[in-house]
Amino acid sequence: MLDGVTLDQLRMLIAIADTGSFTAASKHVQRAQSAVSQSIATLEDQLGVTLFDRSTRKPRLTEAGEVIVAEARMVIVRAARLRATANALAGGAPGHLTIAIGIVVPVDPMVEVLDTFRDAFPGVSLRVLRVDIGGAPDLVSSGQADLGIAGAISLTGYDEDAFDRHAVGSADIAIVAAPDHPLAQLGRPLTDADVQDHRQLVPVTRGDFTNRLVHDTWEVGDLTLRCRMLRRGLGWGTAPVAEIAEDLARGTLVPLQLEARSEETLRVPLLAFTRTDRATGPAIDWLIRRLRDVFGDAGS
């Protein structure tokens, strides 16, 4: 029954439904009115239903016509996606992409990037992984992720030639504790001796680096859980400012300043990186450019 139905016919049908007349629709699709009328009559024969009630001055969609128009709109959308997918694949874009995102990467700007990626590459499916410190380069290095986005420190210990690295912006990290934590009560920059007596909550780390400043540490891989533990006073530690902005504003977490550091926050460079032995293609190249646009001011 659908043999011979064309996208052109469906576009004419939608045009009539939207404009309210065959005359207006013919101008919209830039076809003669007689051609539009004949096309719709042929479509009705092909589908075996009457689409318009022609007994009134202006054509009115029948009940069946309303259903068919709704389906036609979805077909047109799917056809557009098919065309975009084919164009992307012809240009070298992959059918799917895995991105590994470090916990230091601010979430809201990342979502903005992914939102625009959806429109630019509608046929590319994404797998997005948020991972601990060092997790992104591990996944890219092993081939489990096509693109990594993380703080520069995550790449410590990796061969300079292992990744193509692209600076995309920065993110701020703060040392914090609950307001009733003993360290928060001191009211001055903290010495090494001060922090040694208190538990530090640290991320689960991978690679040849550490951010532990004391011997008494708890490793907490989930950032949300670690922030809740910090609020509860179970220890002191670092957290991305973007994740705890509301806590800092409300005072449920307060910044700590180390005597060895002049600033309360540490600005961490953000890198996007891929394996040097793998071609990137248009989708990853586009993502890196977009990351630079969006993350350039994310840490400020």
Side-chain angles (χ1 to χ4, degrees), residues 1-297:
M1 183 172 66
L2 292 178
D3 290 347
V5 173
T6 67
L7 294 177
D8 198 33
Q9 287 175 304
L10 298 183
R11 292 190 184 97
M12 292 181 191
L13 172 63
I14 293 169
I16 299 169
D18 290 343
T19 62
S21 75
F22 281 75
T23 301
S26 66
K27 293 179 181 178
H28 181 75
V29 299
Q30 298 183 328
R31 300 285 295 275
Q33 181 176 338
S34 59
V36 172
S37 299
Q38 182 58 50
S39 182
I40 295 303
T42 301
L43 179 61
E44 289 177 320
D45 289 340
Q46 291 169 318
L47 298 178
V49 296
T50 300
L51 299 173
F52 291 98
D53 179 358
R54 296 172 174 80
S55 63
T56 57
R57 186 174 64 87
K58 289 189 175 182
R60 183 173 56 86
L61 282 169
T62 62
E63 187 173 332
E66 295 279 1
V67 175
I68 296 299
V69 166
E71 293 290 336
R73 293 186 194 279
M74 289 190 287
V75 171
I76 294 299
V77 170
R78 292 293 297 177
R81 290 189 61 188
L82 176 62
R83 187 180 301 107
T85 299
N87 290 339
L89 292 173
H96 58 84
L97 201 62
T98 299
I99 305 173
I101 303 171
I103 57 174
V104 71
V105 177
V107 172
D108 289 342
M110 192 68 228
V111 171
E112 181 181 342
V113 170
L114 297 178
D115 185 22
T116 52
F117 179 86
R118 172 193 60 181
D119 296 331
F121 296 90
V124 179
S125 63
L126 284 181
R127 184 181 185 214
V128 181
L129 307 173
R130 199 175 191 205
V131 293
D132 300 324
I133 295 177
D138 279 356
L139 291 172
V140 173
S141 179
S142 65
Q144 298 177 70
D146 304 290
L147 175 67
I149 309 159
I153 192 173
S154 290
L155 278 71
T156 302
Y158 284 91
D159 190 331
E160 286 289 331
D161 296 328
F163 303 113
D164 286 326
R165 309 174 188 213
H166 308 270
V168 295
S170 62
D172 287 340
I173 302 295
I175 303 173
V176 295
D180 57 354
H181 190 280
L183 290 177
Q185 300 295 311
L186 293 178
R188 57 171 172 78
L190 305 174
T191 66
D192 290 345
D194 292 329
V195 299
Q196 286 295 330
D197 296 331
H198 300 278
R199 178 182 305 112
Q200 183 184 3
L201 304 182
V202 300
V204 176
T205 59
R206 312 181 196 186
D208 301 329
F209 63 90
T210 178
N211 65 346
R212 294 164 176 77
L213 300 179
V214 301
H215 295 297
D216 181 10
T217 59
W218 284 3
E219 289 190 357
V220 185
D222 182 79
L223 177 60
T224 300
L225 176 60
R226 192 165 80 252
C227 289
R228 290 191 177 187
M229 293 169 70
L230 288 167
R231 295 185 199 106
R232 190 68 176 265
L234 297 182
W236 65 276
T238 60
V241 171
E243 293 291 330
I244 58 170
E246 291 186 10
D247 288 291
L248 294 173
R250 293 196 303 261
T252 49
L253 286 174
V254 296
L256 304 178
Q257 186 172 350
L258 299 183
E259 192 176 64
R261 296 178 181 173
S262 59
E263 302 294 335
E264 288 186 349
T265 60
L266 173 66
R267 180 148 293 181
V268 177
L270 294 178
L271 299 179
F273 49 93
T274 59
R275 276 176 45 168
T276 55
D277 61 349
R278 291 193 173 185
T280 54
I284 291 180
D285 292 343
W286 183 96
L287 273 169
I288 292 171
R289 291 194 301 271
R290 186 63 180 144
L291 286 166
R292 287 195 182 110
D293 293 339
V294 173
F295 279 88
D297 297 323

